[in-house]
Amino acid sequence: MKEKTPFLTRLLLIGMGLVIPCYLFTVGNVIFSPWPLYDRNRPALALLTALCTAGLLLLLRRADRHEPFFARHERKLLVAAAAIYFLVQMLLAQALRFTPKTDAEQCFTAAQLLVDTGTFGTNERSWIYFTRCSNNLGFLYALAAVFRFFGFFGWEDRFMQVVLVTSALFTLGLLCGARVCRRVGGVRAQTRMLILCAGCLPLFYCTTELYTDAFSLAFPTMAIYCFFRLREGKSRISRTLWALAFALVTFVGAQIRFTAIIASIACLIALLMARRVRLTALLAAALCAVFLPGTALKSAETARHLDPEDVASRSLPLLHYIAMGLPVQEDEGYGQYGDGGWYVFTTSFDDPAERDAALTTEIIDRIYYLRYPSRLLNMMSRKNLSTFGDGTFMLNEIIEADDHEPDNAVKQIIFLQGALYPAYYHLCTAMFLSQMLIACLACAQAIRRRDVRGAPLFLALVGIFIILCIWETRARYFFQFQLVLLCAGALCESGRIPVRFNTKRGASSD
């Protein structure tokens, strides 16, 4: 007789299963929706997606057949993969070196002012920007810490300093993701993850971006890895240390880009559904122990440079981003900034209470307009395409800055005006959609086996999907969770190869 699945496990499986409708809708919408965003060729994209999906599944199946080889050389392959990514990222940064603009430039300039002069608040441009966009203060302080550290060694190339640190963080995120896959699906899943990463071409140059999209990429997988190590802890000291590491990674990631916290919430949900009450309480206590003093220290540092009253009254409210996330008209930028009218609207009020009331009214009116299913589907289709319809993640948007001339071979591929960009866009987008399909397949297989070990990965993907449906969004905003998507896809069992999970010490036992 088949063993009955506990209620909480069934509930967790349902939560994981939301990955399937969310991302299947996304794949179908990107390929078939008629909206002209990204100038994509839909028949070519459909064909490429089918070919990429079949090719990836075939490659994963072939890799599974050589599991003994990958098991023997496991550490060597991990080190080689990390070294290759790091080296290529550093080399491509030299070919793509640029002068930052817009948000990236504001953070870069303010961080240099903070290190060189002791403050950034006396600079008018920085004062205007950071009293408005206080969400980027954490990234500013992270950049300043990087500049201070390398300043002790006399290295003055601050562009490459940031690339070096971002590449090092990427390496940590890659290795943590690989080890998470190892714990859930053994050596084969770890190998699949590295193969899927190789098919995501933007990973090879993302660290050149110098902005939060790439800088925060490693934190979701690092948090999930700390979560797995916590569950494996054999002693109270070990569990406490890993809980603190989990909280620290979550805090730092959230300061750089707040959505990094979604992966940590997914871990807490998975732990609570597994009825690990003590471990859940330990994680909650660790998060409080890190977030409370960490937030206080950040506020105190900000108060040294900006008047807290200015930040409180001028900072863009949450309502601003939700309003931007409801593009009811087809000419409103497909969920992006459009003509910048929303920024002008929000900043036109001197009284914060009046501003919030106006935004609330606008949001209510827009939600009321979307009460009909056809209107809601129209909006969600346009916004979904905006978010997921570009497999290059538009990282070139920041890298190109004000110099759009593709004057070398690398730029000919990744720059919008490059000769090879149309082919590159379609290949990257087809691979991105294929990775979604494989993650959906992995989720379906896990549900069929009633296997919840990969729950943090799937729940994190559901969480970021929901947030990007509600929030203001661009193609870059999902990139932070790309490694999570690849880890989820790596749990896909290919072919007729029997399912085996490593149950030795070091593997998850929950």
Side-chain angles (χ1 to χ4, degrees):
M1 186 175 178
K2 209 169 189 178
E3 186 179 348
K4 189 175 180 181
T5 305
F7 172 74
L8 288 179
T9 301
R10 278 184 286 166
L11 201 59
L12 186 56
L13 288 169
I14 291 171
M16 292 167 52
L18 292 176
V19 162
I20 298 172
C22 290
Y23 288 89
L24 285 184
F25 167 77
T26 297
V27 173
N29 185 64
V30 171
I31 293 176
F32 299 111
S33 64
W35 315 114
L37 189 64
Y38 302 128
D39 295 323
R40 70 204 192 285
N41 183 312
R42 286 179 288 158
L45 186 58
L47 178 60
L48 266 176
T49 300
L51 291 174
C52 288
T53 304
L56 282 176
L57 288 174
L58 179 62
L59 191 59
L60 297 181
R61 184 175 180 181
R62 282 185 170 276
D64 285 352
R65 290 175 175 172
H66 298 283
E67 181 183 2
F69 170 83
F70 292 117
R72 284 196 307 271
H73 302 285
E74 179 180 358
R75 293 188 182 277
K76 293 179 182 178
L77 289 170
L78 279 176
V79 171
I84 289 171
Y85 273 105
F86 186 83
L87 179 62
V88 172
Q89 286 165 351
M90 295 299 290
L91 290 175
L92 290 182
Q94 293 289 357
L96 295 171
R97 181 184 284 268
F98 66 99
T99 301
K101 71 169 188 175
T102 61
D103 297 82
E105 181 272 326
Q106 291 278 10
C107 295
F108 206 85
T109 299
Q112 294 185 88
L113 287 171
L114 181 56
V115 173
D116 296 339
T117 69
T119 187
F120 61 91
T122 55
N123 179 272
E124 184 180 5
R125 289 183 68 252
S126 296
W127 181 88
I128 292 172
Y129 178 82
F130 285 102
T131 54
R132 289 292 187 200
C133 302
S134 57
N135 57 298
N136 269 341
L137 284 168
F139 183 52
L140 158 64
Y141 298 141
L143 289 178
V146 171
F147 298 155
R148 282 197 183 100
F149 176 79
F150 288 108
F152 289 127
F153 304 98
W155 187 21
E156 297 180 356
D157 188 346
R158 285 172 169 167
F159 179 94
M160 291 306 296
Q161 290 174 16
V162 180
V163 172
L164 176 64
V165 171
T166 312
S167 298
L169 282 172
F170 174 90
T171 301
L172 281 175
L174 178 74
L175 294 176
C176 285
R179 300 313 282 174
V180 165
C181 293
R182 175 71 168 82
R183 281 164 166 75
V184 178
V187 174
R188 282 183 290 145
Q190 181 174 265
T191 305
R192 293 187 215 113
M193 189 263 188
L194 297 177
I195 292 172
L196 290 173
C197 283
C200 183
L201 300 179
L203 293 181
F204 288 98
Y205 61 87
C206 64
T207 58
T208 302
E209 192 207 25
L210 302 187
Y211 197 48
T212 57
D213 309 290
F215 209 90
S216 63
L217 176 65
F219 288 93
T221 50
M222 289 167 64
I224 295 171
Y225 174 74
C226 291
F227 166 75
F228 273 86
R229 292 302 302 266
L230 166 72
R231 292 200 312 182
E232 298 162 10
K234 302 299 181 183
S235 67
R236 184 175 298 177
I237 294 176
S238 173
R239 290 192 294 269
T240 301
L241 290 175
W242 281 110
L244 289 172
F246 173 89
L248 184 61
V249 166
T250 302
F251 175 76
V252 175
Q255 303 315 304
I256 296 169
R257 175 162 280 182
F258 190 73
T259 45
I261 205 170
I262 291 172
S264 300
I265 293 173
C267 292
L268 284 168
I269 292 173
L271 200 57
L272 194 58
M273 291 295 182
R275 291 168 292 186
R276 303 292 295 271
V277 179
R278 290 184 179 179
L279 284 185
T280 305
L282 176 62
L283 269 188
L287 287 168
C288 290
V290 171
F291 267 78
L292 292 177
T295 302
L297 287 172
K298 179 187 172 185
S299 298
E301 176 65 18
T302 300
R304 292 180 56 242
H305 312 289
L306 302 172
D307 187 335
E309 291 186 5
D310 289 338
V311 176
S313 63
R314 288 174 51 82
S315 184
L316 296 174
L318 299 180
L319 295 171
H320 167 81
Y321 300 103
I322 295 174
M324 288 179 66
L326 294 170
V328 296
Q329 303 299 327
E330 292 183 11
D331 62 350
E332 287 184 325
Y334 301 93
Q336 299 183 21
Y337 290 99
D339 60 3
W342 274 116
Y343 182 82
V344 174
F345 177 80
T346 302
T347 58
S348 65
F349 297 91
D350 294 325
D351 182 2
E354 184 183 354
R355 175 200 64 197
D356 292 351
L359 285 170
T360 301
T361 300
E362 187 66 31
I363 289 171
I364 292 172
D365 289 345
R366 289 185 167 231
I367 291 174
Y368 182 74
Y369 174 84
L370 295 170
R371 67 191 183 279
Y372 297 111
S374 59
R375 293 178 182 176
L376 180 62
L377 182 60
N378 180 295
M379 187 274 287
M380 287 303 301
S381 175
R382 289 182 288 112
K383 189 173 181 185
N384 179 272
L385 177 60
S386 165
T387 308
F388 297 98
D390 190 336
T392 72
F393 305 100
M394 289 183 69
L395 298 181
N396 60 296
E397 183 178 42
I398 290 179
I399 295 173
E400 287 189 34
D402 289 323
D403 186 8
H404 304 286
E405 181 65 28
D407 54 12
N408 63 42
V410 179
K411 294 178 181 179
Q412 286 289 350
I413 297 173
I414 73 169
F415 273 28
L416 194 61
Q417 297 178 6
L420 298 177
Y421 178 80
Y424 176 69
Y425 161 79
H426 283 84
L427 176 60
C428 286
T429 305
M431 291 295 289
F432 186 33
L433 299 179
S434 299
Q435 292 152 8
M436 292 184 204
L437 290 173
I438 292 172
C440 289
L441 178 58
C443 184
Q445 292 173 340
I447 292 172
R448 183 181 180 185
R449 297 192 303 265
R450 292 174 172 78
D451 184 353
V452 296
R453 284 174 285 187
L457 297 169
F458 296 114
L459 291 178
L461 291 175
V462 173
I464 189 60
F465 183 90
I466 292 172
I467 289 296
L468 293 178
C469 286
I470 299 171
W471 212 248
E472 170 267 321
T473 185
R474 296 178 75 81
R476 293 183 284 108
Y477 289 6
F478 179 81
F479 185 69
Q480 180 187 28
F481 281 80
Q482 180 61 11
L483 286 179
V484 176
L485 176 67
L486 298 175
C487 288
L491 304 185
C492 173
E493 292 289 336
S494 59
R496 295 181 294 276
I497 300 171
V499 177
R500 295 199 311 271
F501 289 100
N502 186 359
T503 56
K504 295 180 182 179
R505 183 171 181 174
S508 173
S509 58
D510 289 347

